[in-house]
PDB file of all heavy atoms in Angstrom:
ATOM      1  N   THR A1323     114.449  32.759 -40.401  1.00 63.00           N
ATOM      2  CA  THR A1323     113.740  31.647 -39.800  1.00 63.00           C
ATOM      3  C   THR A1323     112.249  31.846 -40.001  1.00 63.00           C
ATOM      4  O   THR A1323     111.688  32.840 -39.533  1.00 63.00           O
ATOM      5  CB  THR A1323     114.066  31.533 -38.308  1.00 63.00           C
ATOM      6  OG1 THR A1323     115.465  31.378 -38.144  1.00 63.00           O
ATOM      7  CG2 THR A1323     113.356  30.340 -37.694  1.00 63.00           C
ATOM      8  N   THR A1325     108.380  31.289 -39.331  1.00 85.00           N
ATOM      9  CA  THR A1325     107.488  30.869 -38.255  1.00 85.00           C
ATOM     10  C   THR A1325     106.105  30.607 -38.834  1.00 85.00           C
ATOM     11  O   THR A1325     105.704  31.189 -39.836  1.00 85.00           O
ATOM     12  CB  THR A1325     107.386  31.943 -37.162  1.00 85.00           C
ATOM     13  OG1 THR A1325     106.921  33.167 -37.745  1.00 85.00           O
ATOM     14  CG2 THR A1325     108.740  32.185 -36.499  1.00 85.00           C
ATOM     15  N   ILE A1333     102.611  28.873 -32.075  1.00 91.00           N
ATOM     16  CA  ILE A1333     103.564  29.377 -33.052  1.00 91.00           C
ATOM     17  C   ILE A1333     104.682  28.343 -33.147  1.00 91.00           C
ATOM     18  O   ILE A1333     105.310  27.987 -32.143  1.00 91.00           O
ATOM     19  CB  ILE A1333     104.148  30.738 -32.627  1.00 91.00           C
ATOM     20  CG1 ILE A1333     103.020  31.775 -32.605  1.00 91.00           C
ATOM     21  CG2 ILE A1333     105.248  31.170 -33.583  1.00 91.00           C
ATOM     22  CD1 ILE A1333     103.475  33.128 -32.102  1.00 91.00           C
ATOM     23  N   VAL A1334     104.918  27.855 -34.357  1.00 91.00           N
ATOM     24  CA  VAL A1334     105.921  26.825 -34.617  1.00 91.00           C
ATOM     25  C   VAL A1334     107.120  27.477 -35.275  1.00 91.00           C
ATOM     26  O   VAL A1334     106.978  28.182 -36.286  1.00 91.00           O
ATOM     27  CB  VAL A1334     105.355  25.699 -35.498  1.00 91.00           C
ATOM     28  CG1 VAL A1334     106.400  24.617 -35.725  1.00 91.00           C
ATOM     29  CG2 VAL A1334     104.092  25.113 -34.862  1.00 91.00           C
ATOM     30  N   SER A1335     108.282  27.267 -34.715  1.00 87.00           N
ATOM     31  CA  SER A1335     109.506  27.867 -35.251  1.00 87.00           C
ATOM     32  C   SER A1335     110.586  26.797 -35.304  1.00 87.00           C
ATOM     33  O   SER A1335     110.861  26.131 -34.291  1.00 87.00           O
ATOM     34  CB  SER A1335     109.957  29.035 -34.367  1.00 87.00           C
ATOM     35  OG  SER A1335     111.174  29.584 -34.860  1.00 87.00           O
ATOM     36  N   PRO A1336     111.234  26.594 -36.482  1.00 86.00           N
ATOM     37  CA  PRO A1336     112.278  25.575 -36.569  1.00 86.00           C
ATOM     38  C   PRO A1336     113.583  26.046 -35.911  1.00 86.00           C
ATOM     39  O   PRO A1336     113.921  27.222 -35.927  1.00 86.00           O
ATOM     40  CB  PRO A1336     112.462  25.387 -38.079  1.00 86.00           C
ATOM     41  CG  PRO A1336     112.005  26.670 -38.679  1.00 86.00           C
ATOM     42  CD  PRO A1336     110.927  27.202 -37.778  1.00 86.00           C
ATOM     43  N   ILE A1337     114.295  25.106 -35.316  1.00 84.00           N
ATOM     44  CA  ILE A1337     115.630  25.351 -34.747  1.00 84.00           C
ATOM     45  C   ILE A1337     116.560  24.254 -35.262  1.00 84.00           C
ATOM     46  O   ILE A1337     116.133  23.337 -35.981  1.00 84.00           O
ATOM     47  CB  ILE A1337     115.599  25.358 -33.215  1.00 84.00           C
ATOM     48  CG1 ILE A1337     114.995  24.050 -32.679  1.00 84.00           C
ATOM     49  CG2 ILE A1337     114.803  26.553 -32.702  1.00 84.00           C
ATOM     50  CD1 ILE A1337     114.999  23.953 -31.159  1.00 84.00           C
ATOM     51  N   MET A1341     112.294  21.675 -33.612  1.00 88.00           N
ATOM     52  CA  MET A1341     111.392  22.815 -33.705  1.00 88.00           C
ATOM     53  C   MET A1341     110.867  23.166 -32.315  1.00 88.00           C
ATOM     54  O   MET A1341     110.844  22.339 -31.394  1.00 88.00           O
ATOM     55  CB  MET A1341     110.228  22.525 -34.659  1.00 88.00           C
ATOM     56  CG  MET A1341     109.307  21.407 -34.220  1.00 88.00           C
ATOM     57  SD  MET A1341     107.946  21.189 -35.380  1.00 88.00           S
ATOM     58  CE  MET A1341     107.099  19.777 -34.662  1.00 88.00           C
ATOM     59  N   VAL A1342     110.421  24.444 -32.189  1.00 89.00           N
ATOM     60  CA  VAL A1342     109.839  24.956 -30.954  1.00 89.00           C
ATOM     61  C   VAL A1342     108.363  25.214 -31.205  1.00 89.00           C
ATOM     62  O   VAL A1342     107.994  25.825 -32.217  1.00 89.00           O
ATOM     63  CB  VAL A1342     110.540  26.261 -30.507  1.00 89.00           C
ATOM     64  CG1 VAL A1342     109.816  26.858 -29.305  1.00 89.00           C
ATOM     65  CG2 VAL A1342     111.981  25.992 -30.161  1.00 89.00           C
ATOM     66  N   ILE A1343     107.518  24.751 -30.286  1.00 91.00           N
ATOM     67  CA  ILE A1343     106.075  25.009 -30.349  1.00 91.00           C
ATOM     68  C   ILE A1343     105.723  25.879 -29.159  1.00 91.00           C
ATOM     69  O   ILE A1343     105.878  25.476 -28.001  1.00 91.00           O
ATOM     70  CB  ILE A1343     105.268  23.703 -30.332  1.00 91.00           C
ATOM     71  CG1 ILE A1343     105.695  22.792 -31.474  1.00 91.00           C
ATOM     72  CG2 ILE A1343     103.769  24.001 -30.418  1.00 91.00           C
ATOM     73  CD1 ILE A1343     105.005  21.441 -31.489  1.00 91.00           C
ATOM     74  N   MET A1344     105.256  27.085 -29.426  1.00 91.00           N
ATOM     75  CA  MET A1344     105.050  28.102 -28.387  1.00 91.00           C
ATOM     76  C   MET A1344     103.557  28.420 -28.254  1.00 91.00           C
ATOM     77  O   MET A1344     102.853  28.554 -29.254  1.00 91.00           O
ATOM     78  CB  MET A1344     105.821  29.367 -28.761  1.00 91.00           C
ATOM     79  CG  MET A1344     105.713  30.511 -27.776  1.00 91.00           C
ATOM     80  SD  MET A1344     106.491  32.001 -28.432  1.00 91.00           S
ATOM     81  CE  MET A1344     108.134  31.378 -28.776  1.00 91.00           C
ATOM     82  N   ASP A1345     103.088  28.528 -27.016  1.00 92.00           N
ATOM     83  CA  ASP A1345     101.731  28.992 -26.742  1.00 92.00           C
ATOM     84  C   ASP A1345     101.737  30.514 -26.805  1.00 92.00           C
ATOM     85  O   ASP A1345     102.358  31.169 -25.955  1.00 92.00           O
ATOM     86  CB  ASP A1345     101.269  28.502 -25.367  1.00 92.00           C
ATOM     87  CG  ASP A1345      99.795  28.784 -25.100  1.00 92.00           C
ATOM     88  OD1 ASP A1345      99.400  29.962 -25.219  1.00 92.00           O
ATOM     89  OD2 ASP A1345      99.052  27.848 -24.772  1.00 92.00           O
ATOM     90  N   ARG A1348     100.374  32.490 -23.502  1.00 92.00           N
ATOM     91  CA  ARG A1348     101.255  32.408 -22.337  1.00 92.00           C
ATOM     92  C   ARG A1348     102.570  33.140 -22.577  1.00 92.00           C
ATOM     93  O   ARG A1348     103.111  33.774 -21.668  1.00 92.00           O
ATOM     94  CB  ARG A1348     101.520  30.940 -21.994  1.00 92.00           C
ATOM     95  CG  ARG A1348     100.289  30.181 -21.533  1.00 92.00           C
ATOM     96  CD  ARG A1348     100.630  28.734 -21.218  1.00 92.00           C
ATOM     97  NE  ARG A1348      99.461  27.953 -20.871  1.00 92.00           N
ATOM     98  CZ  ARG A1348      99.474  26.649 -20.600  1.00 92.00           C
ATOM     99  NH1 ARG A1348     100.639  25.989 -20.640  1.00 92.00           N
ATOM    100  NH2 ARG A1348      98.372  26.015 -20.276  1.00 92.00           N
ATOM    101  N   ALA A1349     103.078  33.048 -23.813  1.00 92.00           N
ATOM    102  CA  ALA A1349     104.325  33.739 -24.123  1.00 92.00           C
ATOM    103  C   ALA A1349     104.146  35.252 -23.996  1.00 92.00           C
ATOM    104  O   ALA A1349     104.995  35.953 -23.438  1.00 92.00           O
ATOM    105  CB  ALA A1349     104.786  33.368 -25.533  1.00 92.00           C
ATOM    106  N   HIS A1350     103.038  35.757 -24.522  1.00 92.00           N
ATOM    107  CA  HIS A1350     102.793  37.204 -24.440  1.00 92.00           C
ATOM    108  C   HIS A1350     102.565  37.632 -22.994  1.00 92.00           C
ATOM    109  O   HIS A1350     102.971  38.738 -22.591  1.00 92.00           O
ATOM    110  CB  HIS A1350     101.597  37.582 -25.299  1.00 92.00           C
ATOM    111  CG  HIS A1350     101.562  39.033 -25.656  1.00 92.00           C
ATOM    112  ND1 HIS A1350     100.415  39.701 -25.998  1.00 92.00           N
ATOM    113  CD2 HIS A1350     102.550  39.970 -25.701  1.00 92.00           C
ATOM    114  CE1 HIS A1350     100.693  40.958 -26.253  1.00 92.00           C
ATOM    115  NE2 HIS A1350     101.977  41.157 -26.068  1.00 92.00           N
ATOM    116  N   ARG A1352     104.056  36.363 -20.372  1.00 93.00           N
ATOM    117  CA  ARG A1352     105.376  36.469 -19.763  1.00 93.00           C
ATOM    118  C   ARG A1352     106.084  37.749 -20.188  1.00 93.00           C
ATOM    119  O   ARG A1352     106.687  38.435 -19.358  1.00 93.00           O
ATOM    120  CB  ARG A1352     106.206  35.238 -20.161  1.00 93.00           C
ATOM    121  CG  ARG A1352     107.707  35.335 -19.940  1.00 93.00           C
ATOM    122  CD  ARG A1352     108.076  35.719 -18.522  1.00 93.00           C
ATOM    123  NE  ARG A1352     107.690  34.744 -17.538  1.00 93.00           N
ATOM    124  CZ  ARG A1352     107.975  34.844 -16.236  1.00 93.00           C
ATOM    125  NH1 ARG A1352     108.646  35.897 -15.796  1.00 93.00           N
ATOM    126  NH2 ARG A1352     107.578  33.936 -15.384  1.00 93.00           N
ATOM    127  N   ILE A1353     105.981  38.116 -21.466  1.00 92.00           N
ATOM    128  CA  ILE A1353     106.638  39.338 -21.960  1.00 92.00           C
ATOM    129  C   ILE A1353     106.036  40.567 -21.267  1.00 92.00           C
ATOM    130  O   ILE A1353     106.774  41.434 -20.766  1.00 92.00           O
ATOM    131  CB  ILE A1353     106.487  39.436 -23.486  1.00 92.00           C
ATOM    132  CG1 ILE A1353     107.206  38.264 -24.179  1.00 92.00           C
ATOM    133  CG2 ILE A1353     107.033  40.759 -24.001  1.00 92.00           C
ATOM    134  CD1 ILE A1353     106.931  38.156 -25.668  1.00 92.00           C
ATOM    135  N   LEU A1354     104.705  40.654 -21.245  1.00 90.00           N
ATOM    136  CA  LEU A1354     104.058  41.819 -20.641  1.00 90.00           C
ATOM    137  C   LEU A1354     104.311  41.873 -19.140  1.00 90.00           C
ATOM    138  O   LEU A1354     104.517  42.960 -18.569  1.00 90.00           O
ATOM    139  CB  LEU A1354     102.557  41.792 -20.913  1.00 90.00           C
ATOM    140  CG  LEU A1354     102.119  41.997 -22.366  1.00 90.00           C
ATOM    141  CD1 LEU A1354     100.607  41.848 -22.495  1.00 90.00           C
ATOM    142  CD2 LEU A1354     102.557  43.368 -22.873  1.00 90.00           C
ATOM    143  N   GLU A1356     106.923  40.863 -17.361  1.00 88.00           N
ATOM    144  CA  GLU A1356     108.253  41.397 -17.045  1.00 88.00           C
ATOM    145  C   GLU A1356     108.372  42.865 -17.410  1.00 88.00           C
ATOM    146  O   GLU A1356     109.058  43.635 -16.714  1.00 88.00           O
ATOM    147  CB  GLU A1356     109.326  40.559 -17.749  1.00 88.00           C
ATOM    148  CG  GLU A1356     109.399  39.134 -17.256  1.00 88.00           C
ATOM    149  CD  GLU A1356     110.706  38.439 -17.630  1.00 88.00           C
ATOM    150  OE1 GLU A1356     111.558  39.107 -18.260  1.00 88.00           O
ATOM    151  OE2 GLU A1356     110.876  37.252 -17.296  1.00 88.00           O
ATOM    152  N   GLN A1357     107.694  43.284 -18.489  1.00 85.00           N
ATOM    153  CA  GLN A1357     107.721  44.705 -18.833  1.00 85.00           C
ATOM    154  C   GLN A1357     107.043  45.555 -17.759  1.00 85.00           C
ATOM    155  O   GLN A1357     107.607  46.571 -17.309  1.00 85.00           O
ATOM    156  CB  GLN A1357     107.027  44.925 -20.185  1.00 85.00           C
ATOM    157  CG  GLN A1357     107.815  44.436 -21.386  1.00 85.00           C
ATOM    158  CD  GLN A1357     107.055  44.651 -22.690  1.00 85.00           C
ATOM    159  OE1 GLN A1357     105.910  45.111 -22.693  1.00 85.00           O
ATOM    160  NE2 GLN A1357     107.674  44.302 -23.808  1.00 85.00           N
ATOM    161  N   GLN A1471     104.543  37.314 -35.170  1.00 89.00           N
ATOM    162  CA  GLN A1471     105.030  36.039 -34.671  1.00 89.00           C
ATOM    163  C   GLN A1471     106.522  36.115 -34.344  1.00 89.00           C
ATOM    164  O   GLN A1471     106.976  35.636 -33.298  1.00 89.00           O
ATOM    165  CB  GLN A1471     104.777  34.941 -35.705  1.00 89.00           C
ATOM    166  CG  GLN A1471     103.306  34.691 -36.025  1.00 89.00           C
ATOM    167  CD  GLN A1471     103.128  33.737 -37.186  1.00 89.00           C
ATOM    168  OE1 GLN A1471     103.976  32.889 -37.443  1.00 89.00           O
ATOM    169  NE2 GLN A1471     102.016  33.884 -37.903  1.00 89.00           N
ATOM    170  N   GLU A1472     107.272  36.741 -35.248  1.00 88.00           N
ATOM    171  CA  GLU A1472     108.716  36.868 -35.035  1.00 88.00           C
ATOM    172  C   GLU A1472     109.017  37.710 -33.802  1.00 88.00           C
ATOM    173  O   GLU A1472     109.895  37.361 -32.994  1.00 88.00           O
ATOM    174  CB  GLU A1472     109.357  37.494 -36.280  1.00 88.00           C
ATOM    175  CG  GLU A1472     110.877  37.603 -36.203  1.00 88.00           C
ATOM    176  CD  GLU A1472     111.454  38.247 -37.446  1.00 88.00           C
ATOM    177  OE1 GLU A1472     110.699  38.401 -38.429  1.00 88.00           O
ATOM    178  OE2 GLU A1472     112.640  38.611 -37.424  1.00 88.00           O
ATOM    179  N   ASN A1473     108.285  38.806 -33.615  1.00 89.00           N
ATOM    180  CA  ASN A1473     108.500  39.646 -32.434  1.00 89.00           C
ATOM    181  C   ASN A1473     108.151  38.902 -31.148  1.00 89.00           C
ATOM    182  O   ASN A1473     108.817  39.079 -30.119  1.00 89.00           O
ATOM    183  CB  ASN A1473     107.653  40.916 -32.534  1.00 89.00           C
ATOM    184  CG  ASN A1473     108.123  41.846 -33.629  1.00 89.00           C
ATOM    185  OD1 ASN A1473     109.283  41.786 -34.052  1.00 89.00           O
ATOM    186  ND2 ASN A1473     107.236  42.717 -34.115  1.00 89.00           N
ATOM    187  N   LEU A1474     107.109  38.074 -31.200  1.00 90.00           N
ATOM    188  CA  LEU A1474     106.715  37.308 -30.016  1.00 90.00           C
ATOM    189  C   LEU A1474     107.788  36.296 -29.650  1.00 90.00           C
ATOM    190  O   LEU A1474     108.139  36.127 -28.468  1.00 90.00           O
ATOM    191  CB  LEU A1474     105.381  36.614 -30.283  1.00 90.00           C
ATOM    192  CG  LEU A1474     104.575  36.176 -29.056  1.00 90.00           C
ATOM    193  CD1 LEU A1474     104.227  37.367 -28.185  1.00 90.00           C
ATOM    194  CD2 LEU A1474     103.312  35.448 -29.486  1.00 90.00           C
ATOM    195  N   VAL A1475     108.353  35.608 -30.646  1.00 89.00           N
ATOM    196  CA  VAL A1475     109.408  34.625 -30.387  1.00 89.00           C
ATOM    197  C   VAL A1475     110.655  35.312 -29.822  1.00 89.00           C
ATOM    198  O   VAL A1475     111.229  34.879 -28.813  1.00 89.00           O
ATOM    199  CB  VAL A1475     109.750  33.843 -31.682  1.00 89.00           C
ATOM    200  CG1 VAL A1475     110.966  32.952 -31.456  1.00 89.00           C
ATOM    201  CG2 VAL A1475     108.558  33.018 -32.137  1.00 89.00           C
ATOM    202  N   ASN A1476     111.075  36.413 -30.456  1.00 89.00           N
ATOM    203  CA  ASN A1476     112.269  37.114 -29.981  1.00 89.00           C
ATOM    204  C   ASN A1476     112.050  37.717 -28.596  1.00 89.00           C
ATOM    205  O   ASN A1476     112.952  37.720 -27.749  1.00 89.00           O
ATOM    206  CB  ASN A1476     112.652  38.211 -30.977  1.00 89.00           C
ATOM    207  CG  ASN A1476     113.068  37.661 -32.339  1.00 89.00           C
ATOM    208  OD1 ASN A1476     113.494  36.501 -32.425  1.00 89.00           O
ATOM    209  ND2 ASN A1476     112.922  38.450 -33.377  1.00 89.00           N
ATOM    210  N   GLY A1477     110.812  38.254 -28.360  1.00 89.00           N
ATOM    211  CA  GLY A1477     110.528  38.857 -27.065  1.00 89.00           C
ATOM    212  C   GLY A1477     110.520  37.845 -25.934  1.00 89.00           C
ATOM    213  O   GLY A1477     110.960  38.142 -24.818  1.00 89.00           O
ATOM    214  N   LEU A1478     110.014  36.635 -26.208  1.00 90.00           N
ATOM    215  CA  LEU A1478     109.965  35.630 -25.154  1.00 90.00           C
ATOM    216  C   LEU A1478     111.365  35.208 -24.726  1.00 90.00           C
ATOM    217  O   LEU A1478     111.668  35.136 -23.534  1.00 90.00           O
ATOM    218  CB  LEU A1478     109.154  34.411 -25.627  1.00 90.00           C
ATOM    219  CG  LEU A1478     109.110  33.251 -24.639  1.00 90.00           C
ATOM    220  CD1 LEU A1478     108.390  33.644 -23.361  1.00 90.00           C
ATOM    221  CD2 LEU A1478     108.437  32.028 -25.258  1.00 90.00           C
ATOM    222  N   PHE A1479     112.233  34.933 -25.703  1.00 88.00           N
ATOM    223  CA  PHE A1479     113.569  34.437 -25.354  1.00 88.00           C
ATOM    224  C   PHE A1479     114.496  35.560 -24.885  1.00 88.00           C
ATOM    225  O   PHE A1479     115.635  35.294 -24.514  1.00 88.00           O
ATOM    226  CB  PHE A1479     114.174  33.685 -26.537  1.00 88.00           C
ATOM    227  CG  PHE A1479     113.465  32.391 -26.816  1.00 88.00           C
ATOM    228  CD1 PHE A1479     112.625  32.255 -27.907  1.00 88.00           C
ATOM    229  CD2 PHE A1479     113.600  31.309 -25.962  1.00 88.00           C
ATOM    230  CE1 PHE A1479     111.948  31.083 -28.165  1.00 88.00           C
ATOM    231  CE2 PHE A1479     112.929  30.115 -26.203  1.00 88.00           C
ATOM    232  CZ  PHE A1479     112.100  30.005 -27.303  1.00 88.00           C
ATOM    233  N   ALA A1480     114.000  36.793 -24.871  1.00 89.00           N
ATOM    234  CA  ALA A1480     114.746  37.892 -24.249  1.00 89.00           C
ATOM    235  C   ALA A1480     114.339  38.072 -22.787  1.00 89.00           C
ATOM    236  O   ALA A1480     114.941  38.895 -22.093  1.00 89.00           O
ATOM    237  CB  ALA A1480     114.514  39.190 -25.024  1.00 89.00           C
ATOM    238  N   CYS A1481     113.324  37.329 -22.315  1.00 90.00           N
ATOM    239  CA  CYS A1481     112.877  37.442 -20.925  1.00 90.00           C
ATOM    240  C   CYS A1481     113.839  36.718 -19.993  1.00 90.00           C
ATOM    241  O   CYS A1481     114.597  35.838 -20.404  1.00 90.00           O
ATOM    242  CB  CYS A1481     111.460  36.850 -20.782  1.00 90.00           C
ATOM    243  SG  CYS A1481     110.181  37.770 -21.656  1.00 90.00           S
ATOM    244  N   LYS A1482     113.733  37.068 -18.728  1.00 89.00           N
ATOM    245  CA  LYS A1482     114.576  36.419 -17.713  1.00 89.00           C
ATOM    246  C   LYS A1482     114.137  34.985 -17.447  1.00 89.00           C
ATOM    247  O   LYS A1482     114.956  34.126 -17.188  1.00 89.00           O
ATOM    248  CB  LYS A1482     114.534  37.233 -16.415  1.00 89.00           C
ATOM    249  CG  LYS A1482     115.124  38.632 -16.548  1.00 89.00           C
ATOM    250  CD  LYS A1482     115.047  39.375 -15.227  1.00 89.00           C
ATOM    251  CE  LYS A1482     115.624  40.792 -15.358  1.00 89.00           C
ATOM    252  NZ  LYS A1482     115.515  41.544 -14.086  1.00 89.00           N
ATOM    253  N   GLU A1483     112.821  34.756 -17.478  1.00 88.00           N
ATOM    254  CA  GLU A1483     112.271  33.420 -17.219  1.00 88.00           C
ATOM    255  C   GLU A1483     111.362  33.040 -18.378  1.00 88.00           C
ATOM    256  O   GLU A1483     110.132  33.084 -18.268  1.00 88.00           O
ATOM    257  CB  GLU A1483     111.485  33.399 -15.906  1.00 88.00           C
ATOM    258  CG  GLU A1483     112.312  33.661 -14.680  1.00 88.00           C
ATOM    259  CD  GLU A1483     113.223  32.492 -14.341  1.00 88.00           C
ATOM    260  OE1 GLU A1483     112.948  31.365 -14.820  1.00 88.00           O
ATOM    261  OE2 GLU A1483     114.202  32.703 -13.610  1.00 88.00           O
ATOM    262  N   PRO A1484     111.924  32.678 -19.525  1.00 89.00           N
ATOM    263  CA  PRO A1484     111.073  32.409 -20.687  1.00 89.00           C
ATOM    264  C   PRO A1484     110.339  31.077 -20.640  1.00 89.00           C
ATOM    265  O   PRO A1484     109.418  30.844 -21.424  1.00 89.00           O
ATOM    266  CB  PRO A1484     112.056  32.437 -21.858  1.00 89.00           C
ATOM    267  CG  PRO A1484     113.352  31.994 -21.246  1.00 89.00           C
ATOM    268  CD  PRO A1484     113.357  32.530 -19.839  1.00 89.00           C
ATOM    269  N   ASN A1485     110.720  30.186 -19.716  1.00 90.00           N
ATOM    270  CA  ASN A1485     110.172  28.829 -19.744  1.00 90.00           C
ATOM    271  C   ASN A1485     108.733  28.745 -19.252  1.00 90.00           C
ATOM    272  O   ASN A1485     107.992  27.855 -19.664  1.00 90.00           O
ATOM    273  CB  ASN A1485     111.043  27.896 -18.892  1.00 90.00           C
ATOM    274  CG  ASN A1485     112.451  27.764 -19.445  1.00 90.00           C
ATOM    275  OD1 ASN A1485     112.646  27.792 -20.655  1.00 90.00           O
ATOM    276  ND2 ASN A1485     113.436  27.624 -18.568  1.00 90.00           N
ATOM    277  N   VAL A1486     108.331  29.658 -18.359  1.00 91.00           N
ATOM    278  CA  VAL A1486     106.988  29.567 -17.770  1.00 91.00           C
ATOM    279  C   VAL A1486     106.310  30.914 -17.854  1.00 91.00           C
ATOM    280  O   VAL A1486     106.964  31.964 -17.926  1.00 91.00           O
ATOM    281  CB  VAL A1486     107.047  29.103 -16.293  1.00 91.00           C
ATOM    282  CG1 VAL A1486     107.521  27.667 -16.202  1.00 91.00           C
ATOM    283  CG2 VAL A1486     107.930  30.020 -15.479  1.00 91.00           C
ATOM    284  N   PRO A1492     103.899  26.210 -18.582  1.00 91.00           N
ATOM    285  CA  PRO A1492     104.928  26.225 -19.637  1.00 91.00           C
ATOM    286  C   PRO A1492     104.523  27.085 -20.823  1.00 91.00           C
ATOM    287  O   PRO A1492     103.360  27.070 -21.257  1.00 91.00           O
ATOM    288  CB  PRO A1492     105.074  24.747 -20.028  1.00 91.00           C
ATOM    289  CG  PRO A1492     103.799  24.093 -19.564  1.00 91.00           C
ATOM    290  CD  PRO A1492     103.367  24.855 -18.356  1.00 91.00           C
ATOM    291  N   THR A1493     105.479  27.835 -21.347  1.00 92.00           N
ATOM    292  CA  THR A1493     105.203  28.710 -22.492  1.00 92.00           C
ATOM    293  C   THR A1493     105.532  28.031 -23.823  1.00 92.00           C
ATOM    294  O   THR A1493     104.982  28.426 -24.849  1.00 92.00           O
ATOM    295  CB  THR A1493     106.013  30.000 -22.375  1.00 92.00           C
ATOM    296  OG1 THR A1493     107.406  29.674 -22.252  1.00 92.00           O
ATOM    297  CG2 THR A1493     105.572  30.804 -21.145  1.00 92.00           C
ATOM    298  N   PHE A1494     106.450  27.065 -23.821  1.00 91.00           N
ATOM    299  CA  PHE A1494     106.818  26.411 -25.083  1.00 91.00           C
ATOM    300  C   PHE A1494     107.336  25.013 -24.784  1.00 91.00           C
ATOM    301  O   PHE A1494     107.723  24.696 -23.641  1.00 91.00           O
ATOM    302  CB  PHE A1494     107.882  27.219 -25.843  1.00 91.00           C
ATOM    303  CG  PHE A1494     109.220  27.250 -25.154  1.00 91.00           C
ATOM    304  CD1 PHE A1494     110.213  26.299 -25.429  1.00 91.00           C
ATOM    305  CD2 PHE A1494     109.514  28.243 -24.228  1.00 91.00           C
ATOM    306  CE1 PHE A1494     111.432  26.329 -24.796  1.00 91.00           C
ATOM    307  CE2 PHE A1494     110.747  28.287 -23.590  1.00 91.00           C
ATOM    308  CZ  PHE A1494     111.714  27.335 -23.874  1.00 91.00           C
ATOM    309  N   ILE A1495     107.349  24.197 -25.826  1.00 90.00           N
ATOM    310  CA  ILE A1495     107.960  22.875 -25.776  1.00 90.00           C
ATOM    311  C   ILE A1495     108.847  22.728 -27.005  1.00 90.00           C
ATOM    312  O   ILE A1495     108.654  23.421 -28.017  1.00 90.00           O
ATOM    313  CB  ILE A1495     106.911  21.739 -25.737  1.00 90.00           C
ATOM    314  CG1 ILE A1495     106.027  21.799 -26.988  1.00 90.00           C
ATOM    315  CG2 ILE A1495     106.079  21.809 -24.468  1.00 90.00           C
ATOM    316  CD1 ILE A1495     105.078  20.611 -27.113  1.00 90.00           C
ATOM    317  N   THR A1496     109.818  21.839 -26.934  1.00 90.00           N
ATOM    318  CA  THR A1496     110.714  21.568 -28.067  1.00 90.00           C
ATOM    319  C   THR A1496     110.558  20.121 -28.499  1.00 90.00           C
ATOM    320  O   THR A1496     110.357  19.230 -27.661  1.00 90.00           O
ATOM    321  CB  THR A1496     112.180  21.841 -27.684  1.00 90.00           C
ATOM    322  OG1 THR A1496     112.529  21.028 -26.537  1.00 90.00           O
ATOM    323  CG2 THR A1496     112.376  23.311 -27.340  1.00 90.00           C
ATOM    324  N   MET A1497     110.642  19.926 -29.794  1.00 89.00           N
ATOM    325  CA  MET A1497     110.624  18.573 -30.353  1.00 89.00           C
ATOM    326  C   MET A1497     111.866  18.396 -31.217  1.00 89.00           C
ATOM    327  O   MET A1497     112.096  19.150 -32.159  1.00 89.00           O
ATOM    328  CB  MET A1497     109.365  18.360 -31.211  1.00 89.00           C
ATOM    329  CG  MET A1497     108.076  18.342 -30.406  1.00 89.00           C
ATOM    330  SD  MET A1497     106.652  17.837 -31.412  1.00 89.00           S
ATOM    331  CE  MET A1497     107.082  16.142 -31.765  1.00 89.00           C
TER     332      MET A1497
END
Side-chain angles (χ1 to χ4, degrees):
T1323 302
T1325 58
I1333 296 176
V1334 182
S1335 178
I1337 56 177
M1341 64 178 177
V1342 174
I1343 303 177
M1344 181 187 304
D1345 188 305
R1348 295 180 184 177
H1350 200 203
R1352 164 54 63 177
I1353 296 171
L1354 292 176
E1356 295 197 1
Q1357 287 179 357
Q1471 298 172 28
E1472 183 181 349
N1473 292 338
L1474 200 60
V1475 173
N1476 296 336
L1478 177 64
F1479 291 106
C1481 294
K1482 296 180 180 178
E1483 296 288 340
N1485 296 326
V1486 293
T1493 56
F1494 68 91
I1495 60 173
T1496 58
M1497 292 188 66

